[in-house]
Amino acid sequence: MDFDDTREEAAFRAEARAFLAANAEDKRGAFETWQSRYPGREGWDGLERAKEFQGQKAGAGLAGLAWPVEWGGRALPPIYQVIYAQEESRYLVPHGYFEIGLGMCMPTLFAYGTEEQKRRLAPAALRGEEVWCQLFSEPGAGSDLAGLRTRAVRDGEDWVVNGQKIWTSGAHWADWAILVARSDPQAAKHKGLTFFFLSMKSPGIETRRIKQISGASHFNEVYFADVRIPDRQRLGAVGGGWGVAITTLMNERLASGDLRGPDFEEVFALARRVSLEDGPAIANAAVRERLADLYVRTQGVRLTRFRTMTALSRGETPGPENSIGKLVNAPKAQEIASFAMDLLDIGGVVMDKEIAPMRAAFQEALLTSPGGRIAAGTDEILRNIIAERVLGLPPDVRVDRDVPFDQLPTGAR
């Protein structure tokens, strides 16, 4: 692994630091402020603030760093995006609104869209003017995405879509979406899918917000009733939607490997602040052992990310090994939140952000963390990916791959 910046990378890092120092607030030691002022994906006020900051970042030439110049980028090697992300992680900036669009939808559009589509849609997404969402999961198709039932039927130059999607983050304020639907029920389930992008303002789309156990509601159900999508908005070949979806999922697992909310530094700070029956928590041997384990895992993910950075700096494309970050971080987030609430004792049940330690960040994280182990692939799916594609172990037997979808038993669809 190479930990050092080149001369050009060091100059860019200085440029990023100067922009962030002038336009964002340092978050070191200010986790409570971050929690209260930047509520992630929860409010429209947060969306407007995020759009403002994204516009500033794009105007400074620090968004879409690896994108071609004609799409609003700077055509820099991908390592520059990693460097910027490292610097931005030290500041209070709004997250969550554009990651799906810029991290998942745009790479798919770049791979399969026309030049006209890229010129029209990419710059607006980069400046934060248009928000995207991802219409993949269904009530009966989550980790087994190929089991989806939403239908797309060809009608002249259009496709008519009927069905339902669920757990769609940000659908209630999205302008555009990517969608995978079943276009041929007589083909094997991985081979009968077609991929599209569409406006979320299209007639026949209904969005319903889902109330989560944490009190948030950034997930949605999305219903399609005779929604018409022009064939020119198809990405990839008819029946080739699974391959397009894989492009999206690989980018999703790279983007979703980072932990949001309380991490090791926050639980370490908490252990220094609270007292147990025998004195400060940080002096307790059992607490120190738990902290050491969390620190080791945190550093392991960090060093694995450096391998990704090294590959990017050499012009290589990181592969399925990026599943490691999410597989470690998602359970770790759940464990950190649970451990923190144990340290808080009876105060751990307090959800009031005005009086709870660290503005109830750990309590909210505990309620939301199980979703992190499902989104972008469950722990079991990621273990299979790592076993088969990284370690080269024999794959699972998949008898459903060549059976027509409409002949599968109901439970396998």
Side-chain angles (χ1 to χ4, degrees):
M1 294 183 288
D2 186 356
F3 293 88
D4 298 323
D5 290 339
T6 65
R7 181 179 301 177
E8 294 78 10
E9 290 166 357
F12 173 78
R13 192 181 294 275
E15 177 188 348
R17 286 177 178 172
F19 167 78
L20 290 163
N23 294 280
E25 181 181 349
D26 193 327
K27 81 173 184 184
R28 291 172 185 163
F31 184 77
E32 294 184 29
T33 306
W34 175 51
Q35 277 294 116
S36 62
R37 292 181 55 187
Y38 296 96
R41 308 177 217 195
E42 296 311 314
W44 289 95
D45 291 343
L47 176 60
E48 293 307 313
R49 189 178 188 89
K51 285 187 172 184
E52 179 184 359
F53 180 78
Q54 185 67 24
Q56 291 173 331
K57 185 163 72 171
L62 293 170
L65 295 165
W67 292 15
V69 175
E70 60 267 28
W71 303 339
R74 286 173 61 171
L76 294 172
I79 187 64
Y80 284 80
Q81 182 59 50
V82 176
I83 292 171
Y84 178 82
Q86 286 181 326
E87 297 303 318
E88 189 180 79
S89 68
R90 300 186 174 98
Y91 287 84
L92 304 176
V93 297
H95 281 290
Y97 299 97
F98 308 112
E99 289 175 338
I100 292 174
L102 300 181
M104 305 170 204
C105 302
M106 289 302 109
T108 305
L109 184 73
F110 295 162
Y112 294 94
T114 67
E115 291 302 313
E116 180 182 356
Q117 290 167 346
K118 297 169 191 175
R119 284 193 297 269
R120 158 63 186 89
L121 297 168
L126 194 65
R127 294 190 297 266
E129 296 168 359
E130 294 177 343
V131 181
W132 286 67
C133 67
Q134 176 187 4
L135 297 165
F136 276 25
S137 294
E138 297 183 5
S143 295
D144 183 17
L145 178 62
L148 61 85
R149 300 184 181 186
T150 295
R151 292 290 305 275
V153 178
R154 187 71 179 262
D155 182 20
E157 292 302 312
D158 293 342
W159 293 81
V160 180
V161 178
N162 285 278
Q164 177 191 0
K165 298 292 181 176
I166 198 168
W167 310 122
T168 305
S169 299
H172 53 297
W173 52 46
D175 302 290
W176 293 89
I178 53 175
L179 165 74
V180 61
R182 185 161 304 284
S183 55
D184 185 358
Q186 296 182 340
K189 67 180 186 179
H190 291 79
K191 300 176 182 178
L193 307 177
T194 300
F195 202 105
F196 307 91
F197 71 89
L198 72 157
S199 168
M200 286 297 289
K201 308 300 188 294
S202 301
I205 294 180
E206 179 185 0
T207 300
R208 301 178 189 173
R209 299 182 72 173
I210 298 173
K211 192 73 170 180
Q212 297 155 239
I213 192 172
S214 65
S217 55
H218 63 261
F219 290 138
N220 299 267
E221 297 175 285
V222 181
Y223 294 86
F224 302 86
D226 294 330
V227 176
R228 302 189 75 88
I229 304 175
D231 184 60
R232 64 179 178 274
Q233 292 176 202
R234 170 170 47 85
L235 298 177
V238 174
W242 181 250
V244 184
I246 289 297
T247 300
T248 307
L249 292 172
M250 289 299 294
N251 284 285
E252 181 180 23
R253 286 163 187 160
L254 176 60
S256 63
D258 291 328
L259 179 66
R260 284 293 160 76
D263 202 343
F264 172 78
E265 292 182 1
E266 284 74 40
V267 75
F268 182 75
L270 181 67
R272 297 179 66 181
R273 289 168 53 180
V274 302
S275 296
L276 306 179
E277 293 181 357
D278 58 348
I282 194 68
N284 181 280
V287 171
R288 294 167 72 91
E289 183 178 353
R290 289 285 296 278
L291 289 172
D293 178 66
L294 292 170
Y295 177 80
V296 168
R297 279 187 274 167
T298 300
Q299 292 303 308
V301 172
R302 174 176 171 269
L303 295 175
T304 300
R305 286 277 172 171
F306 272 109
R307 292 185 184 276
T308 299
M309 291 176 60
T310 301
L312 290 171
S313 68
R314 294 172 178 167
E316 301 169 2
T317 301
E321 67 273 9
N322 285 304
S323 296
I324 296 171
K326 180 181 180 299
L327 182 59
V328 175
N329 268 341
K332 180 165 72 81
Q334 193 170 16
E335 184 175 339
I336 284 174
S338 180
F339 178 40
M341 291 180 67
D342 287 343
L343 291 176
L344 291 168
D345 198 24
I346 60 174
V349 301
V350 178
M351 280 290 291
D352 191 327
K353 292 189 177 183
E354 296 303 317
I355 64 173
M358 304 189 91
R359 295 194 177 271
F362 294 113
Q363 290 84 339
E364 185 171 346
L366 184 66
L367 294 173
T368 59
S369 58
R373 302 182 68 170
I374 298 172
T378 63
D379 293 355
E380 293 78 11
I381 292 292
L382 297 181
R383 287 191 179 98
N384 278 345
I385 290 173
I386 294 168
E388 295 175 11
R389 303 182 189 176
V390 180
L391 302 179
L393 299 178
D396 287 342
V397 176
R398 296 295 305 273
V399 298
D400 61 332
R401 288 189 178 273
D402 298 315
V403 178
F405 178 77
D406 58 2
Q407 295 181 22
L408 287 172
T410 301
R413 297 184 186 181

